[in-house]
Amino acid sequence: MNTRWPLIETFRDPPREFGILPFWFLNDDLDEAEIARQLADFEAHGVYGVIFHPRVGLPRDIGWMSQRMLYFLGVTVAEAKRRDMRVMLYDEGMYPSGSSAGQVVAANSDYQSRCLAMRELRDGEDPAPAVGENLVAVVARQSRQRLAVIDRRHDGYMRGLHYADHDVPRQPDGAEPPEDEHPVADLLNPDAVATFIRLVYDKFAECFADEFGQTIVAMFTDEPSMLGKPRGRARVWPGTTGILEHVNALLGYDFEPHLPALWFDD
């Protein structure tokens, strides 16, 4: 190494720990020999780590956080360790992160994502919410028009880990066939997030804790979204039941009179 310009030489030939970690899409049936072959190919090309990314196209018998998926993850970690490579874990069955491929909502339907919606009220109209909705407030715009602000469930979804019909052929126009669509969790609800942690992070720790900080260097959480991928163009904002009291506590004043500003430039 040139002792005068060691940094330049380090950029020319960086140590292994400064290499890239590409997404490694697991989007077909998995096989121990093929996992080892691809990791060897990464290493041969100067790539000394991967982000283990389960991806749409996996067969249904390799479901998210299933024993088969964890088995193949274990194969990957063991082979990476043997080669002094690094692995970053991906914390979701596709994206956005936080729903454990629909398992959070499956554990408790009350953990489905929620939103704040608005309904413009006619003179004398009853602001009573529909079944399953909560009335947050009735507020007036500067024009004196009354608005009902509603807390309700939001029908957002996340990309699925499997094709809806795994045997469906690719579309003639090249478009992907339909994927599973899972309901997203309420990431503003601490109980929902605790369920996600239990289903994913605790399971990873149960299986691979000895490699945390060694072969497994990090977790990748992908584009957490309060509303997931929305259906339609409903004019809603992320929310959760009881959110206004938390907003008021953070701001130090009552935000309720300003709720119209979420929808109108008054």
Side-chain angles (χ1 to χ4, degrees):
M1 178 180 289
N2 185 329
T3 57
R4 186 178 177 187
W5 299 108
L7 184 60
I8 291 177
E9 295 301 323
T10 300
F11 273 104
R12 288 193 180 116
D13 186 17
R16 293 171 73 102
E17 62 264 29
F18 294 116
I20 62 172
L21 272 76
F23 280 119
W24 185 25
F25 289 172
L26 288 305
N27 56 1
D28 204 340
D29 203 359
L30 302 184
D31 174 82
E32 296 92 332
E34 182 62 14
I35 287 174
R37 186 196 71 79
Q38 291 194 24
L39 285 174
D41 196 40
F42 279 125
E43 184 184 27
H45 289 85
V47 177
Y48 304 118
V50 293
I51 303 173
F52 186 94
H53 187 353
R55 188 85 180 184
V56 62
L58 280 175
R60 290 194 180 276
D61 64 354
I62 307 180
W64 173 244
M65 299 307 290
S66 67
Q67 288 302 309
R68 288 205 72 204
M69 176 173 288
L70 293 170
Y71 167 76
F72 285 115
L73 178 52
V75 170
T76 300
V77 171
E79 181 66 13
K81 181 177 182 179
R82 190 178 73 82
R83 295 179 175 277
D84 192 29
M85 297 175 69
R86 301 293 177 259
V87 175
M88 187 182 297
L89 302 184
Y90 191 91
D91 72 356
E92 184 57 88
M94 285 289 274
Y95 59 86
S97 288
S99 302
S100 192
Q103 295 171 355
V104 172
V105 177
N108 188 331
S109 61
D110 290 339
Y111 293 163
Q112 187 170 346
S113 67
R114 303 190 69 82
C115 64
L116 294 181
M118 175 273 298
R119 189 172 78 245
E120 300 180 43
L121 299 173
R122 298 184 299 272
D123 288 344
E125 182 180 353
D126 185 352
V131 175
E133 298 179 343
N134 301 309
L135 179 65
V136 176
V138 176
V139 290
R141 297 182 58 190
Q142 289 184 358
S143 64
R144 297 187 179 179
Q145 180 184 30
R146 295 163 64 239
L147 308 174
V149 179
I150 304 295
D151 155 47
R152 65 170 173 81
R153 188 169 294 183
H154 181 258
D155 190 25
Y157 67 96
M158 61 172 290
R159 291 193 65 183
L161 196 60
H162 313 291
Y163 291 120
D165 181 350
H166 194 70
D167 296 323
V168 70
R170 194 171 293 271
Q171 307 303 299
D173 59 0
E176 291 288 340
E179 303 167 2
D180 285 351
E181 296 178 353
H182 302 299
V184 294
D186 183 358
L187 300 186
L188 297 174
N189 181 336
D191 293 332
V193 174
T195 299
F196 172 70
I197 291 171
R198 174 177 58 80
L199 291 170
V200 180
Y201 284 71
D202 289 351
K203 183 74 72 70
F204 281 153
E206 179 184 328
C207 296
F208 308 112
D210 290 346
E211 294 303 325
F212 282 10
Q214 306 296 322
T215 304
I216 298 173
V217 294
M219 301 278 187
F220 192 101
T221 188
D222 201 352
E223 302 179 1
S225 171
M226 303 301 110
L227 298 177
K229 300 173 74 67
R231 304 178 196 274
R233 294 183 171 272
R235 296 171 63 193
V236 299
W237 289 93
T240 192
T241 302
I243 193 172
L244 190 56
E245 64 181 277
H246 296 285
V247 171
N248 292 345
L250 287 167
L251 293 176
Y253 62 86
D254 184 8
F255 187 72
E256 181 176 312
H258 306 287
L259 284 168
L262 296 176
W263 290 276
F264 300 98
D265 185 15
D266 285 350

